[in-house]
Each structure stands twice: as structure tokens, then as C-alpha cells.
Amino acid sequence: MKEKYYIIACHVLWREICHHASVSKNIFYIKFLRQGLHNTPEILRKELQQAIDAVDGEYPVILIGYGLCSNGIEGISAKKSKLVIMRGHDCITFFLGSKSRYKSYFDEHPGTYWYTPGWIDTGTQPGKERYENLLQSYIEKYGEENAEYLMEMEQGWFKEYNNAAYIDTGVVDGTDYKNYTKECTEWLNWNYDELVGDSGLLKDFLEGNWDSERFLVAEPGQKIKASHDDNIIHAE
């Protein structure tokens, strides 16, 4: 039986969601929010809630294509529709197929920065291109001397990473994306790793296979909260 679902998701998932939605038996209406909102969780929460409010009640179920995302989805709710959210800290869980696989890799490679086609498409990833673009922007705004200082501050967080992991999600020819990631890692002097993605979690998200181990189904009126345990999120 065909179902009609409304999806609100981060734009980094656009390739994978559109690909799998196109071959699903279900019918989807999709709204993608701009990439990077997780950097300002309060803005993510505001824009996500506005997107929910705009269609609340028009669809029995709204699929939320986000993880906890720096607690940016905490507090969201719908008055008339159910919300379905995968149990994950961020979108990488969708790409890898499970929160356990994500955790296992992170435990073994704690200084990992993730690269996927969607992440590369929607924003400049750490590497030479990002450095040069940002430096030029700072020079134009603040002058060369101030720009050098700002770049030193901006590059400081790179020290937390030493490994770049490219996830091949299988929905697009990954040759150029892999080469781009390798170029970034060479410039950054990071290790390069490559993983084969697992679309099972995303497919079940779209098909309505929402077991409680992997998904949270919030009833109308319930708010999403961080659970601070293996479930990651809960509704109350």
C-alpha cells in the first residue's frame, strides 16, 4: 500500500534521499534545509520547527532527516502529525547504516572528519580550497595582517582531526569525490580512509519500517529530547 510522507531533511542527504525515494512504492514531498545549521543549534531548531508547523496536520507522518545534530532537534514537536526520526547523533548514521557501526568506527578512529558526495556538494570541506577561499574573504574584509591571525584561529580546530573517511553511498559515480577527498587529506597531512555506505537504514526510514531500536516515532504533542544513552533521543 502506498503511503504519502512529508520529509524535512538536511541538504547533505539530498542525493541519497532523492535516489531511494524515486524507487520507493511510497509518495514523498520533500523540503531540504540548508547545510550547516547544526553549527548553530538554536537556528536549526527554529527553522526545523517552522518547516514542521508549515505542514503540520496535512500529512499523518513527517519524516525528519536529521540526527540529534548538536542537540539542534531538541524541543521540536508537531501538534497533529507524528514525527519519525532515526536514532543517531548526526547524518553519518544514515550513510553508514547503523549507530553501532558509526560508534565502532569512531571508537577506533576518534579524529575522523567525514566526507560524502552531499557534504562535498553543499559546502567546502577542510582542505586547500577551503583555506584559500576563506583567506581571500578575510583579506577583503579585514586586511592581510588581521586575515593571517584569523586563519590561525580558524585552523586551530583542524588539530583535533587526523583521519578523513570518505563514504561511498553508491548513488553517484564517486571517482571525482574520492579524488577531491584525497587531495584534501594530502594537503592537511591526514590519513585517507574509504568506507562502503549502507543504505538499509535510509531505505527503512522511507519505507515505513520503523522499529523502536533504530527509530523514534513521536506522537502529536510530544517533544523530542536527548536521552543521553544508547537510544540517543526520546519523546515526552
Side-chain angles (χ1 to χ4, degrees), residues 1-72:
M1 180 179 176
K2 290 182 180 179
E3 300 287 350
K4 290 185 179 180
Y5 297 133
Y6 193 86
I7 303 172
I8 305 171
C10 178
H11 200 258
V12 297
L13 289 160
W14 76 275
R15 286 189 180 278
E16 290 73 22
I17 285 180
C18 290
H19 173 80
H20 294 298
S22 71
V23 296
S24 170
K25 67 180 185 298
N26 296 323
I27 300 170
F28 302 95
Y29 301 85
I30 308 172
K31 180 178 181 61
F32 290 110
L33 302 184
R34 57 195 170 94
Q35 182 270 341
L37 290 175
H38 65 283
N39 293 323
T40 50
E42 65 281 1
I43 297 178
L44 168 56
R45 186 177 302 110
K46 178 182 178 181
E47 294 199 13
L48 184 52
Q49 186 63 60
Q50 288 175 341
I52 292 170
D53 293 343
V55 296
D56 191 6
E58 293 184 32
Y59 302 86
V61 178
I62 301 173
L63 307 182
I64 304 298
Y66 282 89
L68 184 56
C69 294
S70 304
N71 292 331

Side-chain angles (χ1 to χ4, degrees), residues 130-131 148 195:
R130 173 173 172 159
Y131 180 91
E148 291 179 5
L195 294 84

Side-chain angles (χ1 to χ4, degrees), residues 3-235:
E3 300 287 350
K4 290 185 179 180
Y5 297 133
Y6 193 86
I7 303 172
I8 305 171
C10 178
H11 200 258
V12 297
L13 289 160
W14 76 275
R15 286 189 180 278
E16 290 73 22
I17 285 180
C18 290
H19 173 80
H20 294 298
S22 71
V23 296
S24 170
K25 67 180 185 298
N26 296 323
I27 300 170
F28 302 95
Y29 301 85
I30 308 172
K31 180 178 181 61
F32 290 110
L33 302 184
R34 57 195 170 94
Q35 182 270 341
L37 290 175
H38 65 283
N39 293 323
T40 50
E42 65 281 1
I43 297 178
L44 168 56
R45 186 177 302 110
K46 178 182 178 181
E47 294 199 13
L48 184 52
Q49 186 63 60
Q50 288 175 341
I52 292 170
D53 293 343
V55 296
D56 191 6
E58 293 184 32
Y59 302 86
V61 178
I62 301 173
L63 307 182
I64 304 298
Y66 282 89
L68 184 56
C69 294
S70 304
N71 292 331
I73 70 167
E74 266 207 305
I76 65 168
S77 65
K79 293 181 175 66
K80 300 177 181 179
S81 302
K82 292 183 179 181
L83 301 181
V84 176
I85 310 170
M86 66 95 179
R87 297 185 186 276
H89 287 289
D90 54 46
C91 65
I92 300 302
T93 303
F94 266 136
F95 296 126
L96 293 179
S98 71
K99 59 184 178 181
S100 59
R101 186 183 180 197
Y102 187 6
K103 184 178 185 304
S104 177
Y105 189 89
F106 181 80
D107 288 344
E108 294 176 9
H109 308 83
T112 294
Y113 197 98
W114 300 93
Y115 290 70
T116 72
W119 273 100
I120 294 170
D121 285 339
T122 58
T124 306
Q125 300 300 86
K128 184 179 180 180
E129 181 185 11
R130 173 173 172 159
Y131 180 91
E132 291 178 345
N133 289 346
L134 189 58
L135 176 60
Q136 184 59 40
S137 175
Y138 282 160
I139 289 174
E140 292 174 359
K141 291 180 180 179
Y142 308 111
E144 288 192 18
E145 185 174 342
N146 289 328
E148 291 179 5
Y149 171 76
L150 290 171
M151 288 304 297
E152 289 180 7
M153 298 294 291
E154 202 275 341
Q155 301 299 307
W157 65 270
F158 285 3
K159 297 176 182 178
E160 300 176 13
Y161 299 92
N162 55 30
N163 185 61
Y166 176 81
I167 305 174
D168 188 345
T169 62
V171 302
V172 64
D173 182 353
T175 303
D176 289 342
Y177 294 107
K178 293 174 186 178
N179 289 337
Y180 173 82
T181 304
K182 290 175 182 177
E183 291 173 2
C184 289
T185 58
E186 289 174 2
W187 189 83
L188 292 161
N189 197 30
W190 290 356
N191 176 62
Y192 172 80
D193 197 8
E194 190 175 307
L195 294 84
V196 175
D198 182 341
S199 61
L201 182 66
L202 182 55
K203 287 181 179 178
D204 285 339
F205 178 65
L206 298 175
E207 295 301 329
N209 302 322
W210 307 318
D211 56 273
S212 60
E213 169 66 22
R214 298 178 301 159
F215 299 97
L216 171 66
V217 179
E219 298 295 328
Q222 291 187 313
K223 291 187 176 183
I224 307 303
K225 299 290 185 180
S227 61
H228 306 292
D229 58 21
D230 290 342
N231 287 323
I232 301 176
I233 52 176
H234 71 281

